[in-house]
Amino acid sequence: MTFKAAIFDMDGLLLDTERVCMSVFQQACEAENVPFLEDVYLSGIGCNAKRIEELFRAGYGPDIDYPALNKAWRIRYFSIVQNQAIPVKEGVIELLEWLKANKIPMAVATSTQNDIAIKKLALAGLDGYFDVLATGCEVENSKPHPEIYFLAAKRLGIAPETCLAFEDSNNGTRAAVAATMITYQIPDLVQPSQDVIELGHRILPSMVEVLAELKAR
């Protein structure tokens, strides 16, 4: 095989969380009498908490009470993801099983904070597949910066250029490509922008097609 490890984003890629997250953000906006600005919300997908705050403050303007909005959002979101399993995306289990059977080390590189990421993976029954975890609270720079992918590769002990990377968001894809990884994008809520398409990575509709392509390599 031409790769030695596989690194996965989590939300919107392994787990079907993005629609849940957006729905509860809309609820939080309503509760706080704040307009739901879809373009601002979508711009933060794939980013860590620090970067999301920067984007939302810029998008909503100086009058936004971000701490109140964020609290209303997080309370609603965490009450779901900490207590129930989020559905696993199509083809994920089959791909993970195939990589495991071929003894390919695996990691998660997610912008989600560490304790929440661990809980989500455990509830979904995916935690046993991954050798290491790199999370948004452990890096200084959010995706689209490649820092989190370099951290995951370092923890695996594998050179970044020999790692597969799987992402759904444009921010995450930019990070994986910048980390020189063999990158697959499986879009979720946001379709690849033209500048992301021009990065030259593989874009496929689901993990089903990814697995078929990897088997044929």
Side-chain angles (χ1 to χ4, degrees):
M1 295 182 183
T2 58
F3 56 89
K4 296 179 180 179
I7 303 176
F8 295 82
D9 176 48
M10 183 178 67
D11 293 304
L13 187 280
L14 295 174
L15 304 177
D16 196 10
T17 43
E18 296 295 4
R19 287 165 184 79
V20 173
C21 192
M22 186 166 71
S23 175
V24 295
F25 180 71
Q26 289 176 285
Q27 294 171 23
C29 286
E30 183 176 350
E32 295 298 315
N33 294 311
V34 173
F36 170 61
L37 303 181
E38 184 175 8
D39 58 334
V40 175
Y41 177 83
L42 294 176
S43 72
I45 290 180
C47 297
N48 66 12
K50 179 181 176 182
R51 180 59 177 156
I52 287 172
E53 180 174 353
E54 293 171 353
L55 291 168
F56 281 26
R57 286 188 181 277
Y60 275 95
D63 296 332
I64 184 70
D65 185 351
Y66 184 78
L69 177 60
N70 185 58
K71 182 179 179 180
W73 179 20
R74 297 300 173 182
I75 286 173
R76 288 167 171 79
Y77 182 63
F78 291 156
S79 70
I80 296 173
V81 300
Q82 290 184 308
N83 294 289
Q84 64 187 66
I86 301 298
V88 176
K89 300 275 283 193
E90 181 187 19
V92 166
I93 297 295
E94 292 82 358
L95 175 58
L96 295 177
E97 285 288 345
W98 182 78
L99 291 168
K100 181 180 177 180
N102 282 279
K103 297 181 171 54
I104 301 297
M106 289 181 271
V108 168
T110 175
S111 295
T112 298
Q113 68 189 56
N114 188 274
D115 57 332
I116 301 299
I118 291 171
K119 186 71 169 180
K120 285 181 180 179
L121 291 169
L123 285 172
L126 298 183
D127 51 326
Y129 287 101
F130 301 103
D131 301 280
V132 302
L133 186 65
T135 58
C137 58
E138 299 179 291
V139 294
E140 179 65 27
N141 301 291
S142 173
K143 299 174 184 180
H145 194 281
E147 183 181 359
I148 196 167
Y149 274 103
F150 287 134
L151 177 61
K154 181 179 179 181
R155 287 179 173 171
L156 286 172
I158 305 292
E161 63 270 18
T162 62
C163 293
L164 293 173
F166 300 97
E167 275 285 352
D168 63 292
S169 71
N170 287 329
N171 287 319
T173 298
R174 291 186 185 100
V177 172
T180 70
M181 295 188 177
I182 306 161
T183 304
Y184 281 85
Q185 185 177 13
I186 299 88
D188 187 39
L189 287 183
V190 181
Q191 290 302 306
S193 58
Q194 187 57 42
D195 67 298
V196 169
I197 292 172
E198 291 171 0
L199 294 174
H201 60 292
R202 295 290 292 141
I203 303 172
L204 294 172
S206 79
M207 291 295 200
V208 174
E209 288 80 9
V210 171
L211 178 55
E213 184 166 299
L214 291 178
K215 285 182 174 179
R217 286 173 75 100

